[in-house]
């Protein structure tokens, strides 16, 4: 897999091409686009955005947030703790090890930046992602409210 750091808005369509492989309404896709544009505005400063390519096709994306992830210094403190955010693999390529490769890549990037711990959040209903993160050494250290009253968000971390 080839990785590329995204630093400007020219890549919005490639990022959206990954997000669009999941069942979403037009309104949800519009919100995803807005969120990605906001995140791209921070690219190269507090946030590093990466796309993984297979045969020149964008197949996955992930971000590293350096400081102030969700206003929680336990998630990213600008010093030794960074936060993995928004890992997405094209829906039709799930289960092929791409997510694991993307996580290994950003763990290496975080180490290069001098980070000692990488955190992430995952919805309790996302069993596949939870299995992946546990299999590569992440452990739950906090449980927070999820997007709905029925959901919870597991906050996980790994020493690098």
């Amino acid at each position: 897999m080839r990785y590329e750091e995204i630093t400007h808005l020219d890549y919005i369509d490639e990022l959206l091409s990954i997000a669009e492989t999941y069942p979403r309404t037009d309104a949800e896709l519009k919100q995803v686009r807005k969120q990605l544009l906001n995140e791209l505005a921070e690219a190269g400063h507090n946030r590093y955005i990466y796309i993984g390519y297979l045969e020149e096709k964008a197949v996955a994306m992930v971000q590293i947030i350096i400081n102030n992830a969700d206003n929680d210094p336990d998630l990213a403190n600008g010093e030794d703790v960074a936060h993995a955010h928004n890992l997405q693999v094209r829906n039709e390529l799930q289960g092929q090890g791409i997510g694991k490769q993307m996580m290994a890549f950003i763990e290496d990037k975080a180490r290069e930046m001098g980070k000692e711990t990488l955190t992430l959040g995952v919805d309790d209903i996302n069993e596949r992602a939870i299995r992946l993160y546990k299999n590569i050494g992440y452990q739950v250290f906090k449980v927070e409210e999820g997007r709905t009253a029925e959901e919870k968000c597991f906050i996980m971390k790994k020493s690098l």
Side-chain angles (χ1 to χ4, degrees):
M1 185 157 13
R2 178 176 66 85
Y3 306 96
E4 192 165 329
E5 182 180 340
I6 306 309
T7 57
H8 48 82
L9 299 178
D10 291 348
Y11 290 88
I12 188 68
D13 290 335
E14 288 187 75
L15 294 169
L16 282 171
S17 75
I18 297 164
E20 289 170 346
T21 66
Y22 292 87
R24 290 187 165 115
T25 66
D26 287 343
E28 289 169 331
L29 283 172
K30 185 176 179 181
Q31 183 61 34
V32 167
R33 180 182 178 81
K34 181 179 177 183
Q35 177 185 342
L36 286 169
L37 287 169
N38 287 338
E39 292 168 350
L40 279 164
E42 285 187 32
H45 305 287
N46 184 47
R47 183 182 306 262
Y48 296 86
I49 303 171
Y50 301 95
I51 295 179
Y53 292 90
L54 285 176
E55 299 175 10
E56 302 309 311
K57 181 179 184 179
V59 297
M61 66 175 145
V62 69
Q63 302 177 26
I64 299 174
I65 301 173
I66 303 304
N67 193 25
N68 206 27
D70 294 334
N71 297 313
D72 185 344
D74 288 341
L75 301 184
N77 64 13
E79 296 171 14
D80 61 337
V81 179
H83 186 72
H85 175 67
N86 201 22
L87 172 64
Q88 291 186 48
V89 175
R90 292 182 74 84
N91 196 23
E92 72 273 14
L93 298 176
Q94 292 282 323
Q96 297 183 23
I98 294 169
K100 186 175 182 178
Q101 290 177 57
M102 290 298 288
M103 289 303 296
F105 171 77
I106 66 159
E107 288 171 5
D108 288 343
K109 285 293 183 185
R111 280 187 207 93
E112 289 172 14
M113 295 173 187
K115 306 306 175 195
E116 298 173 7
T117 302
L118 194 60
T119 66
L120 57 85
V122 60
D123 295 329
D124 65 342
I125 60 170
N126 194 343
E127 295 174 11
R128 177 177 274 188
I130 293 167
R131 260 193 322 275
L132 165 67
Y133 298 136
K134 285 184 176 181
N135 285 341
I136 61 174
Y138 287 82
Q139 298 178 335
V140 175
F141 76 101
K142 279 187 186 186
V143 178
E144 296 181 347
E145 291 180 18
R147 294 177 211 176
T148 68
E150 298 83 31
E151 293 180 12
K152 299 212 177 312
C153 181
F154 295 143
I155 308 301
M156 304 176 87
K157 70 179 175 179
K158 178 180 179 177
S159 294
L160 301 175

